[in-house]
Amino acid sequence: MATPPGARGTARPATTHPHPATAGHPTVLTGATVVLPTGAVENGQVTIDGTRITGAAPENAQVIDVTGHYVIPGFIDIHNHGGGGASFTSGSVEDILKGIHTHRLHGTTTLVASTVTGDMDFLTQRAGLLSELAEQGEIAGIHFEGPFISPCRKGAHSEALLRDPDPAEVRKLIDAARGRATMVTLATELPGGTDSVRLLAEHGVIAAIGHTDATYEQTVEAIDAGATVATHLFNAMPPLGHRSPGPIAALLEDDRITIELIDDGTHLHPAALQLAFHRAGADRVAFITDAMDAAGFGDGRYWLGPLEVEVADGVARLLADGTIAGSTLTLDSAFKRAVTVDGLSVEDAVKALSATPARLLGMDDRIGSLEPGKDADLVLLDADYELKGVMRRGEWVVGPQLR
């Protein structure tokens, strides 16, 4: 598949306001409400030494007073197609790094790069490129969303390029990723679907059920075979029915499943989000962006794989038929909406944006909470939940902006 033309949005240059250099000096953030796994601690402090969070502050530490702010773990996005005008599916390495940086400016300190449907040769080539960035620590892994999805629930994927999930072809993709394949979204009811789920589970790759037309019974079978994620629940799957409950009921009721939710006010009615969140609980929900190129960039025309997208008023839709085509969401906005619109507690929002995705990725020994020994990945928010600072591995990406 030829690489599609680049995005044609209006650039919004990113600006950061770094605090005076702290390189080589331990730093203590003090006076904030610090959200820990055990709950929120008022007038707390977080100590950073090098790239890690530490316990007691050394005498030579630089103290930054962040009274009136929240300090929370860095956000973790397990489903993201791009940002800053750049696509993870079709962009150059420079483009991809630009997209990653765009999301870091919005608090996402760990990101899984997602691709969209393409032909197999193209996707294996992209897998090789993205795996190099994973090896360098720029991304946490690769998520293949398509081509093994249902033409009935294709969403913003090219129907001409869809195919059944033949285990041999699924294996080809994960081999091309050189151990960096994190997740594959499948319509598990298609021929080869259940066998592909077993293959993925055997290789330590998350099998995600999505873009599916499965029945309740078929979904239960896939979960029993090893599927552990619901790709953007509610979207691109049959609606919940009282006689034919479909995949939504099966995914919500099973404690083995982590539920992806897109909290942008477009993909889900607030009542649907409340239903899913309170049925599954914060320990089973991962808020995602499903972002495409326009995230952090602006309205305009873009390409999602081979399909042209129009972004207007921040909503991305296929030019051809108006189908929603990913989002322009960033996780700082998702956090604020979760607390101020959806009424979630700060602690539950932190779980859904940090702790739960960290555990799903098997990285909760390093990221996802503000505990000694873990990476110094954190977000600073003011009392109105506006982002005022981002630190990744002990270095300020943004801020702190305290005035």
Side-chain angles (χ1 to χ4, degrees):
M1 183 177 75
T3 301
R8 301 196 296 275
T10 302
R12 296 179 181 175
T15 58
T16 60
H17 304 279
H19 196 271
T22 59
H25 298 283
T27 301
V28 179
L29 305 179
T30 186
T33 298
V34 180
V35 181
L36 301 173
T38 52
V41 177
E42 294 185 7
N43 195 28
Q45 71 177 36
V46 178
T47 302
I48 301 100
D49 194 352
T51 64
R52 299 295 181 92
I53 297 168
T54 62
E59 292 183 0
N60 65 334
Q62 177 182 12
V63 177
I64 302 176
D65 186 352
V66 290
T67 299
H69 292 72
Y70 291 89
V71 179
I72 63 175
F75 304 137
I76 301 169
D77 195 352
I78 62 171
H79 187 156
N80 187 316
H81 296 279
S87 167
F88 299 151
T89 297
S90 59
S92 65
V93 170
E94 182 180 8
D95 292 333
I96 295 168
L97 291 173
K98 179 182 178 183
I100 294 166
H101 185 66
T102 295
H103 285 282
R104 287 180 185 166
L105 293 173
H106 292 275
T108 298
T109 51
T110 300
L111 179 150
V112 174
S114 302
T115 62
V116 297
T117 293
D119 68 46
M120 289 298 294
D121 288 342
F122 179 79
L123 288 174
T124 54
Q125 181 270 329
R126 295 306 294 180
L129 184 151
L130 290 169
S131 68
E132 293 180 9
L133 293 173
E135 289 161 4
Q136 295 165 15
E138 298 291 347
I139 60 175
I142 308 165
H143 165 215
F144 297 101
E145 188 182 20
F148 310 115
I149 60 177
S150 171
C152 302
R153 305 287 175 178
K154 64 183 183 298
H157 292 255
S158 171
E159 185 169 355
L161 296 171
L162 301 182
R163 59 185 64 215
D164 291 339
D166 179 345
E169 292 201 320
V170 174
R171 176 64 186 269
K172 182 178 179 181
L173 272 189
I174 62 176
D175 285 349
R178 302 199 301 263
R180 301 295 177 168
T182 296
M183 183 161 63
V184 178
T185 291
L186 309 121
T188 54
E189 77 278 7
L190 295 176
T194 303
D195 287 340
S196 292
V197 168
R198 294 191 183 97
L199 171 75
L200 291 167
E202 289 169 1
H203 286 81
V205 179
I206 296 166
I209 300 172
H211 288 275
T212 176
D213 204 40
T215 64
Y216 173 89
E217 291 77 15
Q218 289 169 328
T219 306
V220 169
E221 181 183 5
I223 296 170
D224 288 340
T228 56
V229 165
T231 295
H232 45 53
L233 189 76
F234 297 109
N235 298 114
M237 60 182 63
L240 182 66
H242 63 292
R243 292 193 182 93
S244 178
I248 293 172
L251 294 164
L252 277 177
E253 73 182 8
D254 199 305
D255 289 344
R256 293 172 290 182
I257 295 293
T258 298
I259 304 295
E260 290 185 352
L261 294 175
I262 308 171
D263 194 4
D264 63 352
T266 297
H267 280 78
L268 297 174
H269 188 283
L273 184 137
Q274 290 280 350
L275 170 68
F277 197 95
H278 291 293
R279 175 59 185 88
D283 291 333
R284 287 183 51 213
V285 169
F287 283 135
I288 62 165
T289 62
D290 194 19
M292 46 81 69
D293 312 18
F297 199 66
D299 290 351
R301 296 278 182 89
Y302 298 83
W303 291 89
L304 189 61
L307 304 179
E308 194 166 11
V309 175
E310 175 81 39
V311 179
D313 298 325
V315 178
R317 296 183 181 275
L318 290 184
L319 195 62
D321 62 10
T323 299
I324 293 176
S327 85
T328 62
L329 184 64
T330 53
L331 285 183
D332 56 337
S333 294
F335 183 94
K336 182 173 182 179
R337 181 179 176 85
V339 176
T340 62
V341 177
D342 302 314
L344 302 185
S345 68
V346 169
E347 293 88 343
D348 278 353
V350 165
K351 285 183 180 180
L353 285 158
S354 302
T356 298
R359 186 172 61 252
L360 176 70
L361 295 176
M363 299 176 69
D364 52 330
D365 60 331
R366 286 182 41 210
I367 58 175
S369 61
L370 301 176
E371 296 176 278
K374 294 194 176 182
D375 288 353
D377 293 352
L378 59 85
V379 173
L380 184 67
L381 304 172
D382 67 14
D384 296 320
Y385 311 109
E386 294 289 341
L387 186 144
K388 295 298 178 180
V390 180
M391 177 180 285
R392 182 175 185 270
R393 297 181 185 174
E395 294 186 2
W396 289 108
V397 180
V398 177
Q401 303 171 30
L402 302 176
R403 294 182 181 178

